[in-house]
């Protein structure tokens, strides 16, 4: 299960992601907004809580830049949210950081690239090993 959320500046990109997930028969939860103006921290919190509770395995957040969503989501214990605008960063934030939320900016990247990043984010496994130790150190910073 993938938790999705956006603010008003990321709604078109989120709708494209929803269509992509439907085509791929990947289940998702849409936590808003449908386009009404809203504050991105409220949406980041809702998506993050679905991941922390185990209701969703990963999340995708979109706003104008992806940055506000990532700053907000990373305040929640257990969340590793990455803003990615390229394939390499997206692949390695899964392999090395075990990122559980992908953040993207609708005002930054096009839909074609964004959907490729979604595919990479959902298909790439965490490598573990020495990277697990580093992720554990990130977790220890939360306490
Ligand atoms: C909304 O105007 C914009 O600030 C927001 O979508 C996001 O880019 C914040 O980081």
């Amino acid at each position: 299960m993938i938790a999705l959320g956006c603010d008003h500046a990321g709604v078109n990109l989120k709708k494209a992601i929803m269509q992509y997930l439907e085509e791929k028969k990947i289940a998702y939860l849409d936590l808003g907004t449908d386009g009404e103006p809203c504050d991105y921290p409220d949406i980041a919190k809702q998506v993050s809580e679905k991941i922390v509770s185990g209701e969703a395995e990963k999340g995708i957040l979109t706003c104008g830049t992806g940055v506000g969503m990532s700053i907000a989501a990373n305040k929640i214990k257990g969340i590793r949210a990455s803003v990615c605008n390229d394939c390499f960063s997206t692949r390695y934030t899964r392999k090395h950081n075990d990122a559980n939320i992908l953040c993207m900016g609708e005002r930054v990247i096009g839909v074609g690239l964004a959907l490729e990043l979604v595919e990479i984010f959902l298909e790439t496994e965490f490598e573990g090993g020495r990277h697990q130790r580093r992720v554990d150190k990130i977790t220890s910073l939360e306490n």
Side-chain angles (χ1 to χ4, degrees):
M1 180 65 71
I2 308 301
L4 297 182
C6 66
D7 72 357
H8 47 282
V11 69
N12 295 316
L13 182 52
K14 186 187 70 175
K15 284 181 179 167
I17 294 167
M18 287 162 62
Q19 192 182 337
Y20 169 87
L21 294 176
E22 282 162 26
E23 283 165 15
K24 297 278 178 184
K25 303 202 184 322
I26 297 170
Y28 67 83
L29 281 170
D30 176 19
L31 297 159
T33 176
D34 291 335
E36 309 80 44
C38 67
D39 297 332
Y40 58 81
D42 298 334
I43 304 291
K45 180 172 185 278
Q46 288 194 56
V47 166
S48 297
E49 286 174 350
K50 292 291 178 195
I51 295 165
V52 172
S53 71
E55 288 169 80
E57 183 196 341
K58 288 178 186 149
I60 301 172
L61 287 166
T62 61
C63 62
T65 59
V67 176
M69 284 293 195
S70 72
I71 292 172
N74 280 317
K75 299 291 182 193
I76 310 286
K77 282 187 181 187
I79 295 303
R80 290 175 300 281
S82 300
V83 190
C84 294
N85 297 310
D86 67 276
C87 298
F88 187 85
S89 303
T90 305
R91 183 166 291 112
Y92 279 86
T93 203
R94 285 290 311 129
K95 280 176 178 268
H96 288 188
N97 314 131
D98 199 16
N100 48 18
I101 297 184
L102 173 64
C103 301
M104 294 180 290
E106 181 177 318
R107 296 171 178 165
V108 179
I109 57 172
V111 172
L113 176 56
L115 296 181
E116 258 196 75
L117 302 190
V118 168
E119 183 174 343
I120 291 167
F121 183 72
L122 297 183
E123 290 185 355
T124 306
E125 296 294 328
F126 177 50
E127 280 182 359
R130 67 186 188 282
H131 302 294
Q132 184 62 62
R133 182 180 72 243
R134 293 161 185 167
V135 169
D136 289 344
K137 288 188 179 183
I138 294 173
T139 302
S140 74
L141 296 174
E142 295 174 338
N143 302 311

